[in-house]
Amino acid sequence: MACLFCKIASGEIPAEIIYQDDEMTAFRDIDPQAPTHILIIPSQHIETLNALDPSHAELIGNMTLAAARIAASEGIQQQGYRLVMNCNQDGGQTVFHLHMHLLGGRQMLWPPG
Ligand code: 5GP
Ligand code: ZN
């Protein structure tokens, strides 16, 4: 298993884990771009958004619900936050195991860089 995020999900590589269940792991980004920067990943190895099919709908829904719950537990729910999924080169994806970025604790800019 060569994938970095698979290794984080299995505990082989340490990370500051915020939440974990059978289908996902949430942990702090090693290079945070905001005061709160948490990655939410599926337990199963899915490379990009392009690999999703309808069988993943519940998983992605549950990851989104988890993100909103984590935003509340981080205390950024009311002030606001951003949920981002980068896909391939133009999206700026660097780790090819699907992940959501939960970013908050500062004013986000639009358009994004
Ligand atoms: P992407 O650019 O693929 O959307 O996001 C990958 C994210 O993974 C980046 O924000 C990067 O800082 C984070 N990251 C890369 N390697 C590690 C690691 O070993 N541990 C943790 N916690 N985050 C990582
Ligand atoms: Zn993986």
Side-chain angles (χ1 to χ4, degrees), residues 3 6 45 97:
C3 170
C6 281
H45 182 82
H97 178 129

Side-chain angles (χ1 to χ4, degrees), residues 4-5 8 13-16 27-33 37 39 84-88 91-101 103:
L4 173 65
F5 283 1
I8 287 177
I13 288 179
E16 193 182 338
F27 56 95
R28 292 199 192 277
D29 197 291
I30 204 167
D31 182 21
Q33 302 301 309
H37 188 172
L39 302 174
V84 176
M85 297 177 82
N86 298 324
C87 184
N88 281 343
Q93 185 174 5
T94 59
V95 177
F96 288 85
H97 178 129
L98 195 78
H99 50 281
M100 288 177 174
H101 296 256
L103 295 147

Side-chain angles (χ1 to χ4, degrees), residues 10-104:
S10 71
E12 194 179 333
I13 288 179
E16 193 182 338
I17 291 175
I18 304 295
Y19 174 77
Q20 190 164 42
D21 64 22
D22 285 350
E23 60 181 0
M24 74 184 86
T25 301
F27 56 95
R28 292 199 192 277
D29 197 291
I30 204 167
D31 182 21
Q33 302 301 309
T36 292
H37 188 172
I38 291 166
L39 302 174
I40 301 152
I41 67 170
S43 307
Q44 59 179 282
H45 182 82
I46 301 169
E47 279 199 11
T48 78
L49 280 166
N50 294 335
L52 292 176
D53 65 48
S55 75
H56 299 112
E58 190 175 340
L59 168 66
I60 300 304
N62 287 339
M63 287 169 61
T64 306
L65 292 169
R69 280 198 306 273
I70 293 166
S73 66
E74 290 285 308
I76 58 173
Q77 189 180 43
Q78 291 309 318
Q79 196 70 21
Y81 53 91
R82 186 171 290 175
L83 203 52
V84 176
M85 297 177 82
N86 298 324
C87 184
N88 281 343
Q89 185 173 334
D90 279 4
Q93 185 174 5
T94 59
V95 177
F96 288 85
H97 178 129
L98 195 78
H99 50 281
M100 288 177 174
H101 296 256
L102 171 63
L103 295 147

